Short mmCIF file of all heavy atoms in Angstrom, two decimals:
data_model
loop_
_atom_site.label_atom_id
_atom_site.label_comp_id
_atom_site.label_asym_id
_atom_site.label_seq_id
_atom_site.Cartn_x
_atom_site.Cartn_y
_atom_site.Cartn_z
N ILE A 159 40.05 -2.85 35.20
CA ILE A 159 39.32 -4.12 35.26
C ILE A 159 39.11 -4.59 33.83
O ILE A 159 38.84 -3.78 32.94
CB ILE A 159 38.00 -3.94 36.02
CG1 ILE A 159 38.25 -3.43 37.42
CG2 ILE A 159 37.20 -5.24 36.07
CD1 ILE A 159 37.05 -2.89 38.14
N VAL A 160 39.20 -5.90 33.61
CA VAL A 160 39.30 -6.42 32.26
C VAL A 160 38.07 -6.17 31.40
O VAL A 160 38.19 -5.67 30.29
CB VAL A 160 39.64 -7.92 32.29
CG1 VAL A 160 39.64 -8.50 30.91
CG2 VAL A 160 40.99 -8.13 32.93
N ASN A 161 36.88 -6.45 31.88
CA ASN A 161 35.68 -6.36 31.03
C ASN A 161 34.96 -5.02 31.22
O ASN A 161 33.73 -4.94 31.09
CB ASN A 161 34.71 -7.51 31.33
CG ASN A 161 35.31 -8.84 30.95
OD1 ASN A 161 35.88 -8.99 29.89
ND2 ASN A 161 35.24 -9.82 31.85
N ASN A 162 35.74 -3.96 31.48
CA ASN A 162 35.18 -2.68 31.88
C ASN A 162 34.60 -1.88 30.75
O ASN A 162 33.72 -1.05 30.94
CB ASN A 162 36.29 -1.89 32.59
CG ASN A 162 35.74 -0.82 33.49
OD1 ASN A 162 35.92 0.34 33.25
ND2 ASN A 162 35.03 -1.24 34.53
N VAL A 163 35.07 -2.11 29.52
CA VAL A 163 34.76 -1.21 28.40
C VAL A 163 33.86 -1.94 27.40
O VAL A 163 33.99 -3.13 27.19
CB VAL A 163 36.06 -0.77 27.69
CG1 VAL A 163 35.78 0.10 26.48
CG2 VAL A 163 36.96 -0.01 28.67
N SER A 164 32.93 -1.19 26.78
CA SER A 164 32.09 -1.74 25.72
C SER A 164 31.85 -0.67 24.67
O SER A 164 31.61 0.48 25.01
CB SER A 164 30.75 -2.25 26.29
OG SER A 164 29.93 -2.77 25.29
N TRP A 165 31.94 -1.06 23.38
CA TRP A 165 31.68 -0.14 22.27
C TRP A 165 30.39 -0.59 21.63
O TRP A 165 30.30 -1.68 21.11
CB TRP A 165 32.85 -0.18 21.28
CG TRP A 165 32.93 1.00 20.36
CD1 TRP A 165 31.90 1.79 19.89
CD2 TRP A 165 34.12 1.55 19.76
NE1 TRP A 165 32.38 2.76 19.08
CE2 TRP A 165 33.74 2.65 18.98
CE3 TRP A 165 35.46 1.20 19.80
CZ2 TRP A 165 34.65 3.42 18.23
CZ3 TRP A 165 36.38 1.94 19.08
CH2 TRP A 165 35.97 3.05 18.30
N GLY A 166 29.38 0.26 21.68
CA GLY A 166 28.04 -0.12 21.27
C GLY A 166 27.77 0.16 19.79
O GLY A 166 28.49 0.88 19.12
N ALA A 167 26.64 -0.40 19.31
CA ALA A 167 26.17 -0.11 17.97
C ALA A 167 25.80 1.36 17.80
O ALA A 167 25.70 1.87 16.68
CB ALA A 167 24.97 -1.01 17.64
N SER A 168 25.59 2.04 18.93
CA SER A 168 25.29 3.49 18.91
C SER A 168 26.52 4.32 18.58
O SER A 168 26.45 5.53 18.47
CB SER A 168 24.76 3.90 20.29
OG SER A 168 25.75 3.57 21.28
N ASP A 169 27.68 3.66 18.46
CA ASP A 169 29.00 4.28 18.25
C ASP A 169 29.42 5.11 19.47
O ASP A 169 30.17 6.07 19.36
CB ASP A 169 29.06 5.14 16.97
CG ASP A 169 30.50 5.27 16.47
OD1 ASP A 169 31.34 4.43 16.86
OD2 ASP A 169 30.79 6.21 15.72
N LEU A 170 28.93 4.73 20.62
CA LEU A 170 29.38 5.32 21.89
C LEU A 170 30.12 4.24 22.68
O LEU A 170 29.82 3.05 22.55
CB LEU A 170 28.20 5.85 22.69
CG LEU A 170 27.38 6.98 22.05
CD1 LEU A 170 26.21 7.35 22.95
CD2 LEU A 170 28.25 8.20 21.78
N VAL A 171 31.07 4.69 23.49
CA VAL A 171 31.84 3.77 24.33
C VAL A 171 31.46 3.98 25.77
O VAL A 171 31.30 5.10 26.24
CB VAL A 171 33.35 4.01 24.15
CG1 VAL A 171 34.17 3.14 25.10
CG2 VAL A 171 33.78 3.75 22.70
N SER A 172 31.27 2.87 26.51
CA SER A 172 30.96 2.94 27.93
C SER A 172 32.11 2.35 28.73
O SER A 172 32.78 1.42 28.27
CB SER A 172 29.67 2.19 28.25
OG SER A 172 29.84 0.80 27.93
N PHE A 173 32.33 2.88 29.93
CA PHE A 173 33.33 2.30 30.82
C PHE A 173 32.99 2.69 32.26
O PHE A 173 32.16 3.58 32.50
CB PHE A 173 34.76 2.72 30.44
CG PHE A 173 35.10 4.18 30.59
CD1 PHE A 173 35.65 4.67 31.75
CD2 PHE A 173 34.82 5.07 29.55
CE1 PHE A 173 35.96 6.03 31.89
CE2 PHE A 173 35.13 6.42 29.69
CZ PHE A 173 35.71 6.89 30.86
N GLY A 174 33.64 2.04 33.22
CA GLY A 174 33.43 2.37 34.61
C GLY A 174 34.55 3.25 35.13
O GLY A 174 35.72 3.00 34.87
N ALA A 175 34.20 4.33 35.86
CA ALA A 175 35.17 5.15 36.56
C ALA A 175 34.72 5.19 38.01
O ALA A 175 33.74 5.88 38.34
CB ALA A 175 35.24 6.58 35.99
N GLN A 176 35.36 4.37 38.84
CA GLN A 176 34.91 4.13 40.22
C GLN A 176 33.45 3.73 40.19
O GLN A 176 33.11 2.79 39.49
CB GLN A 176 35.19 5.38 41.09
CG GLN A 176 35.41 5.03 42.56
CD GLN A 176 34.40 5.64 43.49
OE1 GLN A 176 33.40 6.17 43.04
NE2 GLN A 176 34.65 5.58 44.75
N ASN A 177 32.55 4.44 40.86
CA ASN A 177 31.13 4.01 40.92
C ASN A 177 30.32 4.52 39.74
O ASN A 177 29.14 4.22 39.65
CB ASN A 177 30.45 4.52 42.21
CG ASN A 177 31.14 4.00 43.45
OD1 ASN A 177 32.08 3.24 43.37
ND2 ASN A 177 30.65 4.42 44.59
N ALA A 178 30.92 5.31 38.87
CA ALA A 178 30.17 5.91 37.76
C ALA A 178 30.27 5.07 36.51
O ALA A 178 31.31 4.45 36.24
CB ALA A 178 30.70 7.32 37.49
N VAL A 179 29.18 5.05 35.71
CA VAL A 179 29.24 4.52 34.35
C VAL A 179 29.43 5.76 33.45
O VAL A 179 28.63 6.68 33.49
CB VAL A 179 27.94 3.78 33.98
CG1 VAL A 179 28.00 3.28 32.55
CG2 VAL A 179 27.71 2.63 34.95
N VAL A 180 30.51 5.75 32.66
CA VAL A 180 30.87 6.91 31.87
C VAL A 180 30.64 6.61 30.40
O VAL A 180 30.95 5.50 29.93
CB VAL A 180 32.35 7.30 32.11
CG1 VAL A 180 32.70 8.61 31.39
CG2 VAL A 180 32.64 7.45 33.60
#
Side-chain angles (χ1 to χ4, degrees):
I159 301 165
V160 176
N161 295 315
N162 202 245
V163 177
S164 180
W165 199 331
S168 57
D169 204 19
L170 298 177
V171 175
S172 63
F173 65 94
Q176 208 241 11
N177 300 358
V179 178
V180 185

